[in-house]
Amino acid sequence: MSTDGGSTVQTGRLAKPEGVLAPRYRWVSVGMCLLVTLAAFEALAVTTIMPTVSRELDGAALYAFAFAGPLAVGVVGMVVAGTWCDRGNPRTVLFASVGLFGAGLILAGLAPTMGLFVTGRLVHGLGGGALTVALYVIVARVYPPPLHARIFAGFAAAWVVPSLIGPVIAGAVAETVGWRWVFLGVVALVVLAMLMVVPAMRGVHGPEERPAGGRTELVRAGLAALVAVAVLALTLAAGSRGPVQWLVPVFAAAAAVAALRPLLPVGTLRARRGLPSVILVRGIVAGTFFSAEVYVPLLMVTQYGASPAVAGLALTAAGLSWAAASWAQGRFPAIGHRLAARLGALGLTIAIASLLVTALTGASPVVVVVGWAFAGAGMGLLYPRLGVLTLEYSTPADQGFNSSALSIADSTGSAIALATTAIAFSALGGAASPIAFAGVFAVNGVLCLAAWLCGGRIHRR
């Protein structure tokens, strides 16, 4: 017998709580976690194999765009999917987002040129942004509240596992059967995941009452599109020369900031204490970490002649330290939010400093691997706390907006930082020049300083 919305079952004389792997939830739980795993694997795999893709498709000019583009259009996917879920059926949103996700993988895997490869990445990014929102809404519609924490823990585990083994596997696949199978091979797994999820989607429906405010939601979608266009222009400017390389970024950055303001809590761009600074710090640390990470394998491949599998070891080290630090921050309450912010900034600073020293002096690649592990540890300490603080500072009326703002800060912070480092990298000579790598990591150092300055403002007075 079930009670409490399906959260317990009667077994003999004792009521036993149902879990996310109970018969009624088993396949949808496994399927959704597999989708998260595949999304995480692709994010890490692309970072590992991009030096190989860039060399084979002669795509050095679009190297950073292949990372920043999907993040930028993902913001549009998040906003549109959120509105669609509120006004329609999240089941439809899930199917559409997975369709885009798979189509992007196929296009990238079959692309004969870098331009088509990037197009596939944009389609993949649009679907990935929408997929995240759809999964969260479906959790609310399928599972009773007592199981929400458990399925979200499953999502976290599904993201950590690929970070441990994904880079090495992607590198090995690229060296043996070819980098294209890193994309094409995942499509079959996406279909398998959907076969698990689809049966449970029959009972998922849209809201009984459609919310008002359609015009406001349309404006939000338009602003998200403007942010995406501005970031894409900012990234493309990295491959230009002359005045265009410097004028376009100024106007694009101004447009992105203007469009972002209504999508974030009031005072975010001024680092107001409390929630605004939490959102801002999330964008800063995401930008610091992910804009540096894409150059870590490239540094090892071009400057040290490392294979893709060996270059992926640095990403694996960061994944291990991220998982360990995440476990520690949840296990020891003595690590308060403010201390976590300082330790997170310290880990990133040590990592960026080690990369900068390596680029300038030609130090052993072991320094890169060890140093990047500090970056993972810093993110593992700080990232979960920023999510917790966002919910602490939210009320039921604004939980959706604030959660969306956190995701938007993640994506746009990373995309803008990637565009900025790409401009520095291109202006200083590209992959053939150690100074270009030093310029990238110097930009990351400025972001580390911003994380230190804003980290102390995540608490209200």
Side-chain angles (χ1 to χ4, degrees):
M1 179 178 72
S2 67
T3 62
D4 298 331
S7 61
T8 62
V9 294
Q10 190 73 24
T11 305
R13 291 178 298 174
L14 298 176
K16 180 182 178 181
E18 280 191 298
V20 295
L21 294 179
R24 74 170 74 188
Y25 305 124
R26 181 176 299 144
W27 289 114
V28 68
S29 296
V30 173
M32 290 199 300
C33 286
L34 180 56
L35 287 173
V36 174
T37 298
L38 296 176
F41 175 79
E42 282 304 311
L44 293 158
V46 170
T47 304
T48 304
I49 66 172
M50 266 307 295
T52 302
V53 176
S54 176
R55 182 174 61 250
E56 183 172 321
L57 299 182
D58 191 23
L62 293 175
Y63 186 89
F65 189 87
F67 294 98
L71 290 171
V73 298
V75 175
V76 180
M78 293 171 192
V79 174
V80 172
T83 301
W84 194 355
C85 286
D86 286 340
R87 295 186 162 273
N89 194 327
R91 175 180 59 195
T92 308
V93 182
L94 177 67
F95 295 163
S97 60
V98 171
L100 288 171
F101 186 85
L105 292 176
I106 294 173
L107 184 55
L110 297 177
T113 66
M114 192 64 174
L116 286 176
F117 176 82
V118 169
T119 302
R121 290 282 291 151
L122 293 177
V123 174
H124 167 265
L126 184 64
L131 176 62
T132 301
V133 175
L135 288 177
Y136 274 64
V137 175
I138 287 171
V139 165
R141 303 281 173 87
V142 171
Y143 298 87
L147 295 184
H148 289 178
R150 295 186 187 183
I151 189 62
F152 285 141
F155 287 177
W159 187 270
V160 168
V161 172
S163 71
L164 306 182
I165 61 175
V168 175
I169 292 176
V173 170
E175 291 177 30
T176 53
V177 297
W179 62 265
R180 296 181 184 276
W181 286 102
V182 174
F183 299 96
L184 299 177
V186 172
V187 176
L189 296 177
V190 171
V191 173
L192 176 63
M194 288 306 295
L195 290 176
M196 299 177 187
V197 172
V198 167
M201 295 296 101
R202 293 170 185 164
V204 177
H205 304 287
E208 295 181 3
E209 296 183 4
R210 299 294 187 266
R215 184 175 180 182
T216 300
E217 292 162 348
L218 185 61
V219 169
R220 282 175 54 82
L223 290 171
L226 179 57
V227 170
V229 170
V231 173
L232 294 179
L234 184 62
T235 311
L236 286 173
S240 305
R241 290 291 181 269
V244 173
Q245 187 178 17
W246 307 108
L247 291 178
V248 170
V250 172
F251 290 108
V257 170
L260 268 176
R261 289 185 64 184
L263 302 177
L264 305 175
V266 175
T268 297
L269 300 181
R270 300 194 306 272
R272 180 181 294 177
R273 282 191 175 274
L275 178 64
S277 285
V278 170
I279 302 298
L280 180 61
V281 170
R282 182 68 166 249
I284 291 172
V285 298
T288 305
F289 182 87
F290 294 111
S291 66
E293 185 181 53
V294 302
Y295 290 98
V296 170
L298 187 62
L299 174 67
M300 297 186 70
V301 169
T302 59
Q303 302 299 311
Y304 295 99
S307 67
V310 172
L313 288 176
L315 307 187
T316 299
L320 286 168
S321 60
W322 189 319
S326 295
W327 174 85
Q329 65 83 31
R331 190 79 174 172
F332 301 104
I335 304 177
H337 297 316
R338 188 170 298 171
L339 177 59
R342 291 171 179 169
L343 291 176
L346 177 62
L348 286 171
T349 301
I350 293 173
I352 298 303
S354 69
L355 293 175
L356 183 58
V357 168
T358 303
L360 290 174
T361 66
S364 169
V366 174
V367 177
V368 176
V369 176
V370 175
W372 199 238
F374 277 95
M379 295 294 281
L381 283 169
L382 181 54
Y383 234 55
R385 295 303 181 90
L386 296 175
V388 170
L389 278 172
T390 298
L391 294 181
E392 284 185 6
Y393 290 148
S394 301
T395 65
D398 59 14
Q399 284 175 345
F401 176 83
N402 291 341
S403 297
S404 172
L406 196 69
S407 297
I408 289 172
D410 249 354
S411 295
T412 55
S414 300
I416 291 173
L418 277 164
T420 305
T421 53
I423 292 171
F425 190 69
S426 175
L428 294 174
S433 171
I435 299 299
F437 287 99
V440 167
F441 302 136
V443 172
N444 296 135
V446 174
L447 293 175
C448 283
L449 177 60
W452 279 103
L453 294 175
C454 298
R457 302 181 63 81
I458 62 175
H459 268 294
R460 293 169 177 163
R461 290 190 183 278

